[in-house]
Amino acid sequence: MKSVIGKNITLSLYGESHGTAIGAVVDGLPAGIKVNTDFMQQQLDKRKPKGKISTQRREADDFVITSGVFGGFSTGTPIHIMIENKNQKSSDYQPKLPRPSHADYAAHIKYGGFEDYRGGGHFSGRLTAPIVAAGAIATDILRNKGITIGTHIKKCQHLTDREFNNFAEDIEICNSKYFATLDDTVGEDMQQHIENIGAECDSVGGILETCVLGLPAGVGEPYFNSIESVLSHWLFSIGGVKGIEFGLGFGFADCLGSKANDAFAVCDGKVVTKTNNNGGINGGISNGMPVIFRVAVKPTPSIFKEQDTVNLAAMENAKLTLTGRHDPAIFHRARVVVDSMTALALLDLLVQRYGERWLCG
């Protein structure tokens, strides 16, 4: 089992949901980069569960950087971030009754019954906390280079947020909120809908839409290291993400080329496109326009309705009724995870394009 991703900038994860601690190691950053721990905590706060729309497991998510940072700056060696688990209830989990659509059964087969099943073990959404902490470092580096990232909750069943309009302003709106919708009224309706679903012992999924502003043209490679393929690798590593589309995405199937093509123009001495159906990417390479993509996040598998499962010890059909603390929705907490993974993936691509010293320039 390897939990490492990236080429020039790598991220590795360790720990389990109910273990002593979880954490991440970021490797490949040059020395001399300021590490903003206050911003790291702010990003972690966006992932925390709050109110009735999230799990009642409340962790402080206080992190410790044990290596790779000295005097507030990177030393050039691997940065180790650790977050202690302090609020586990392991008795809520039954080892031989896998939860439908969760990783329980697949993990049991892959690791021969030696997996830590408590809270989903290494497969738990709990592991997204160190991703966010690590991603905050990357996000801050990109911000200082004029590259900003924002994600809003585009859809929750029948409820839909408005489109990105003024990209710079809308990114600031997204990043200023815990429940990141661009339309406050829609956001309130979504939160009430999640509460209602939770009260029915069920869960609900959603669609997140992300905008990357300021990414220069020429980043990415054709074919196997295209922006789409690299971002997809990182984003599909987030538990619960089951789909991704860039620009118009699957909407291209309904279009003619004359309508789908993004015509070029010169504006203020720069080449731009009049539309952005391709989401800022041509041939796997950024074209200087905003990078736009959407990810689909499935409903939380852990629900309180009775479900059919199997008893792995007796190898017979069984019923499962969960107890414990589970999210009726995870997409609102996942949006900062999407931002973090996006920042890390793009940082990796930018280093590939410009070299590591570009990060310090």
Side-chain angles (χ1 to χ4, degrees), residues 134-156:
I137 298 174
T139 300
D140 201 38
I141 293 171
L142 295 181
R143 286 195 310 177
N144 291 331
K145 291 290 186 178
I147 302 168
T148 54
I149 302 168
T151 299
H152 74 120
I153 301 164
K154 177 66 176 175
K155 197 173 190 300
C156 174

Side-chain angles (χ1 to χ4, degrees), residues 4 14 16 18 35 37 51-52 88 108 130 147 162 167 169 193 195 208 252 255 310 342 344 346 355:
V4 183
Y14 70 86
E16 294 80 32
H18 287 208
V35 176
T37 55
K52 296 180 180 179
Q88 308 97 311
H108 179 80
I147 302 168
R162 71 168 174 83
F167 292 111
E169 290 182 5
H193 185 58
E195 283 193 29
L208 302 173
F252 279 118
C255 287
V310 293
T342 301
L344 287 160
L346 292 178

Side-chain angles (χ1 to χ4, degrees), residues 287-301:
N287 63 19
M289 298 298 288
V291 173
I292 304 291
F293 61 85
R294 286 165 294 281
V295 298
V297 182
K298 72 178 185 179
T300 321

Side-chain angles (χ1 to χ4, degrees), residues 105-162:
Y105 173 69
H108 179 80
I109 297 300
K110 181 172 179 64
Y111 301 112
F114 291 99
E115 76 285 350
D116 184 345
Y117 63 84
R118 302 168 301 168
H122 191 68
F123 298 88
S124 170
R126 179 82 186 118
L127 271 292
T128 60
I131 289 175
V132 171
I137 298 174
T139 300
D140 201 38
I141 293 171
L142 295 181
R143 286 195 310 177
N144 291 331
K145 291 290 186 178
I147 302 168
T148 54
I149 302 168
T151 299
H152 74 120
I153 301 164
K154 177 66 176 175
K155 197 173 190 300
C156 174
Q157 284 198 313
H158 60 282
L159 298 167
T160 304
D161 195 20
R162 71 168 174 83

Side-chain angles (χ1 to χ4, degrees), residues 79-311:
I79 296 174
H80 173 242
I81 306 165
M82 183 180 71
I83 301 173
E84 286 188 282
N85 290 323
K86 297 182 178 180
N87 189 13
Q88 308 97 311
K89 287 182 64 178
S90 300
S91 60
D92 290 335
Y93 296 88
Q94 304 177 58
K96 300 303 180 183
L97 297 177
R99 290 167 289 174
S101 290
H102 209 289
D104 295 344
Y105 173 69
H108 179 80
I109 297 300
K110 181 172 179 64
Y111 301 112
F114 291 99
E115 76 285 350
D116 184 345
Y117 63 84
R118 302 168 301 168
H122 191 68
F123 298 88
S124 170
R126 179 82 186 118
L127 271 292
T128 60
I131 289 175
V132 171
I137 298 174
T139 300
D140 201 38
I141 293 171
L142 295 181
R143 286 195 310 177
N144 291 331
K145 291 290 186 178
I147 302 168
T148 54
I149 302 168
T151 299
H152 74 120
I153 301 164
K154 177 66 176 175
K155 197 173 190 300
C156 174
Q157 284 198 313
H158 60 282
L159 298 167
T160 304
D161 195 20
R162 71 168 174 83
E163 301 286 339
F164 279 115
N165 185 6
N166 183 311
F167 292 111
E169 290 182 5
D170 286 348
I171 286 174
E172 286 189 16
I173 290 172
C174 292
N175 290 332
S176 68
K177 294 181 176 182
Y178 173 72
F179 196 91
T181 56
L182 298 171
D183 185 317
D184 289 337
T185 300
V186 172
E188 292 171 2
D189 291 342
M190 285 184 181
Q191 292 179 75
Q192 185 59 59
H193 185 58
I194 295 170
E195 283 193 29
N196 294 343
I197 294 294
E200 296 172 359
C201 300
D202 219 328
S203 63
V204 64
I207 295 175
L208 302 173
E209 184 174 52
T210 300
C211 173
V212 180
L213 190 63
L215 186 69
V219 177
E221 302 291 333
Y223 297 106
F224 309 119
N225 288 298
S226 69
I227 291 182
E228 294 103 327
S229 59
V230 171
L231 276 174
S232 294
H233 186 185
W234 287 76
L235 292 167
F236 273 121
S237 302
I238 302 170
V241 170
K242 301 301 284 186
I244 184 167
E245 63 176 1
F246 292 84
L248 195 58
F250 287 98
F252 279 118
D254 299 320
C255 287
L256 299 175
S258 56
K259 299 297 182 182
N261 288 347
D262 299 316
F264 288 108
V266 174
C267 180
D268 298 327
K270 293 177 58 178
V271 174
V272 299
T273 60
K274 293 183 177 181
T275 55
N276 195 24
N277 292 325
N278 286 277
I281 305 168
N282 296 133
I285 301 168
S286 59
N287 63 19
M289 298 298 288
V291 173
I292 304 291
F293 61 85
R294 286 165 294 281
V295 298
V297 182
K298 72 178 185 179
T300 321
S302 299
I303 61 175
F304 295 108
K305 290 181 179 290
E306 184 180 80
Q307 299 180 84
D308 291 329
T309 187
V310 293
N311 186 313

